Amino acid sequence: MSILDSPEEEVRVVLTGHGGRAFGLPPEELGERVERLLREAGPLDADGTPDAPDLTAATDRGSVLWAHNPADWRAPQARSGLLAARSAGGRPVRYAVGHAGHSQFAVDRAHPLDARLLGAKLDALNRLPPRLLTDDGEQPRVITATAPSCEQFFTLGAQQAEHLYYLLYAPLGQVEVPPDPWGLDTSAYERERLTATSHWVRETLGGTGFTVVEPGACEGALTASLRERGLTVIPTEPHDEFRRRLSRRLGHADVRADTVEELAGERHLPADAYLLAEIFYYLDDISVVDSLPTDLLLVTSSPEFIESSVRPWFSGPGKEKWRQDGEHTLVPPRMDFLVEGVAYQRKRGSVGLVYRRI
């Protein structure tokens, strides 16, 4: 609301979510400015995708651009923020925190709204088409779930914006995979989790000289840790870019691309154990593990997911084929950065479960 509540000066507004269209807010009272902004900006079509803004002539080099959070849960808003970062040409971009409930952000600017400004904000929102304020099953399309009374902003570089967008919207394939996207090689929490996991695997197996298949090995951080402890590890990774990075890390010319479903269907990689580390979230049907060519499953996942999905299946449909033979807390929940110095969240912790075929 700060740009609206400056009646003594003209403000130039660039609509980064509308292709970079620019207009001026002349000196006038708050109500008139809100009315003009609603007329000029108008919400995007609810199902539309924002165009890449052309910001080359819209602002001078000293301007500060304001955009949506590239990690916003509302996909059009997030993409708008991503495109603004790409088009800014090195100029600073401030991003509204918006609706990104998994994470918190290192805010460098905040605007608490007093009763007058908050009233103007709510009045403006209430003038939007009702469909834009309607919950579509996840959240309203235009406003955040709470319409906060304190507007918060943080600043990102272009690469950081791409990284944040990737963490939430990787399946859309609109950004390149950033280096070490989840901090497996750099985060103290993730390093502790991987070290604890590799120790647990070795202790469960009873030493070295065992062969473990690790589906979904990503860039190989856990693979390398397991091999350092004397285990023979066969990693597979279906994602092309992660598989290339995994191959470079391990010095292999060829790393298999098999998914868990393919490993179960073809049964061509028998092993002493299959390590299903943090990948149960991605299985459409847990019963696929019945066909893996092993009698020992080592499963790691968050405590919440274990209680909601893993344990109920193994004690229900899977109880005729598998029995639990161990449980160990690998790392407790902890606060940790997603993007160093910018975005952070509660990491859920990890628990290891041992299942043996009956």
Side-chain angles (χ1 to χ4, degrees):
M1 297 294 293
S2 61
I3 65 168
L4 299 177
D5 195 36
S6 303
E8 72 284 353
E9 59 182 295
E10 180 170 89
V11 176
R12 185 77 167 163
V13 177
V14 181
L15 300 174
T16 55
H18 295 249
R21 184 167 63 84
F23 67 94
L25 287 177
E28 54 190 356
E29 294 302 317
L30 176 62
E32 286 76 16
R33 282 196 158 181
V34 170
E35 194 73 45
R36 187 184 299 272
L37 184 62
L38 288 175
R39 271 199 320 271
E40 293 283 355
L44 288 170
D45 181 88
D47 299 315
T49 300
D51 298 323
D54 180 5
L55 305 180
T56 54
T59 59
D60 61 62
R61 295 298 301 180
S63 299
V64 176
L65 302 176
W66 304 70
H68 286 292
N69 187 347
D72 200 296
W73 282 1
R74 301 161 295 174
Q77 280 87 339
R79 180 158 171 75
S80 166
L82 173 70
L83 295 176
R86 291 176 174 175
S87 304
R91 283 171 284 181
V93 181
R94 279 203 179 97
Y95 296 91
V97 168
H99 190 35
H102 282 316
S103 300
Q104 301 293 321
F105 298 86
V107 174
D108 55 25
R109 188 157 182 170
H111 297 287
L113 304 182
D114 60 22
R116 183 180 67 93
L117 291 176
L118 183 57
K121 174 178 179 175
L122 298 183
D123 182 58
L125 293 174
N126 288 335
R127 280 184 273 169
L128 294 174
R131 65 181 175 84
L132 297 175
L133 305 183
T134 300
D135 193 321
D136 65 358
E138 296 181 3
Q139 63 270 330
R141 295 181 185 274
V142 172
I143 65 171
T144 66
T146 56
S149 62
C150 181
E151 305 288 356
Q152 299 183 81
F153 302 89
F154 60 100
T155 304
L156 292 177
Q159 288 185 336
Q160 291 174 315
E162 298 259 347
H163 192 165
L164 274 178
Y165 187 86
Y166 174 85
L167 291 175
L168 195 61
Y169 294 102
L172 299 182
Q174 296 169 344
V175 294
E176 295 182 1
V177 182
D180 190 21
W182 296 287
L184 300 183
D185 284 309
T186 55
S187 158
Y189 166 88
E190 297 295 351
R191 294 306 305 157
E192 180 180 340
R193 181 179 65 81
L194 297 182
T195 298
T197 300
S198 57
H199 277 304
W200 169 71
V201 170
R202 176 171 167 164
E203 290 175 4
T204 300
L205 291 174
T208 61
F210 296 93
T211 299
V212 178
V213 173
E214 182 197 359
C218 196
E219 296 178 321
L222 179 55
T223 313
S225 182
L226 290 164
R227 290 187 168 186
E228 288 171 1
R229 283 155 182 80
L231 298 172
T232 299
V233 186
I234 303 174
T236 73
E237 175 50 61
H239 189 285
D240 290 343
E241 178 57 26
F242 287 143
R243 191 168 62 255
R244 282 191 287 270
R245 297 180 188 183
L246 176 63
S247 180
R248 288 196 300 268
R249 183 173 197 151
L250 301 181
H252 287 188
D254 183 30
V255 174
R256 303 192 66 94
D258 305 73
T259 64
V260 172
E261 290 79 6
E262 290 166 343
L263 290 165
E266 298 177 17
R267 298 181 59 82
H268 58 284
L269 287 179
D272 296 302
Y274 266 62
L275 174 58
L276 305 176
E278 310 296 329
I279 64 171
F280 263 59
Y281 317 107
Y282 307 109
L283 298 182
D284 294 328
D285 183 1
I286 294 180
S287 68
V288 69
V289 302
D290 287 344
S291 299
L292 292 174
T294 186
D295 292 331
L296 179 62
L297 299 178
L298 306 178
V299 177
T300 76
S301 194
S302 71
E304 293 95 333
F305 192 79
I306 282 176
E307 295 304 323
S308 66
S309 299
V310 177
R311 205 186 302 279
W313 186 85
F314 279 100
S315 62
K319 68 180 180 180
E320 300 300 324
K321 294 185 178 180
W322 301 96
R323 63 177 175 84
Q324 185 175 329
D325 193 33
E327 178 173 342
H328 182 68
T329 297
L330 301 169
V331 63
R334 192 169 302 161
M335 301 301 297
D336 189 38
F337 278 108
L338 279 180
V339 176
E340 187 66 30
V342 174
Y344 60 98
Q345 66 175 209
R346 181 185 71 92
K347 297 286 183 72
R348 295 177 294 178
S350 184
V351 172
L353 297 176
V354 180
Y355 288 102
R356 297 190 185 273
R357 197 182 296 272
I358 297 174

